[in-house]
Amino acid sequence: ISRVCLVILLAVASFSTFKAIKTVSNTHEQGLQSYRSIQHALKQFEDPLVLGAFNCNFIECALWFGMGLVPDMELKTTPIMPNFYYFDIFSKKLHLPGKGELSDQQTAETIAALTRQTRPVLLISPPFPHLAKLKLELLLSTPIQNLYRVTGLQ
């Protein structure tokens, strides 16, 4: 009986492992396809200012998310990422290179000023309800994340 249980246990473990690997592989492939699609769409814009948000799979988003854990690092990013800002969906505040997290009023003023420019302001993010503070125009939808044009604040 113990050998039968061991065989069943090994079979279930093998099946579960295979299924987990397949799921991770599929998710990874979807992420790559999403990244490529958004990269291609970004090339259609001249000198865009890009905002990233939580769960964006661009390296700039990962850097901003990590720097949010060490706020002093945000103050050192100006030369590294001048065309990429981070919108914190939880605090609903904008983070700027060299300045860090802005206040609510500064966020509102900065987004208003940015959207008055001719330069496109774009956002890469999954479709979170937390984004409701921003007026967004959907430009590209992918299974992992979307590309939006930011047109203002709600």
Side-chain angles (χ1 to χ4, degrees):
I1 293 180
S2 65
R3 287 183 188 199
V4 171
C5 289
L6 181 60
V7 169
I8 291 172
L9 180 64
L10 287 173
V12 169
S14 296
F15 176 76
S16 296
T17 301
F18 174 77
K19 188 173 178 183
I21 290 170
K22 183 77 170 156
T23 300
V24 168
S25 176
N26 288 342
T27 302
H28 179 72
E29 184 56 36
Q30 283 183 331
L32 289 175
Q33 288 174 358
S34 172
Y35 178 84
R36 286 190 289 261
S37 296
I38 291 175
Q39 276 288 59
H40 179 71
L42 287 173
K43 290 177 184 176
Q44 298 172 14
F45 297 93
E46 186 177 333
D47 192 33
L49 174 67
V50 180
L51 307 179
F54 180 73
N55 261 3
C56 155
N57 71 353
F58 281 62
I59 192 164
E60 295 88 348
C61 293
L63 289 170
W64 271 109
F65 186 74
M67 287 185 299
L69 302 174
V70 184
D72 288 345
M73 290 300 296
E74 290 180 318
L75 304 178
K76 300 176 183 179
T77 60
T78 303
I80 301 169
M81 299 185 297
N83 295 319
F84 200 97
Y85 297 175
Y86 185 73
F87 182 74
D88 186 327
I89 65 169
F90 303 108
S91 70
K92 296 176 181 59
K93 294 179 182 173
L94 198 57
H95 292 246
L96 302 184
K99 295 187 182 190
E101 184 177 83
L102 302 182
S103 68
D104 288 333
Q105 181 177 346
Q106 290 170 320
T107 294
E109 291 168 354
T110 301
I111 290 176
L114 291 171
T115 56
R116 283 194 301 267
Q117 299 179 94
T118 56
R119 182 181 189 193
V121 180
L122 307 175
L123 171 74
I124 301 169
S125 176
F128 291 121
H130 302 79
L131 298 173
K133 180 176 183 171
L134 301 171
K135 288 183 186 174
L136 300 173
E137 172 190 343
L138 180 64
L139 300 175
L140 177 67
S141 179
T142 75
I144 302 295
Q145 59 194 351
N146 299 330
L147 179 65
Y148 301 93
R149 180 188 309 270
V150 179
T151 60
L153 289 174
Q154 297 290 0

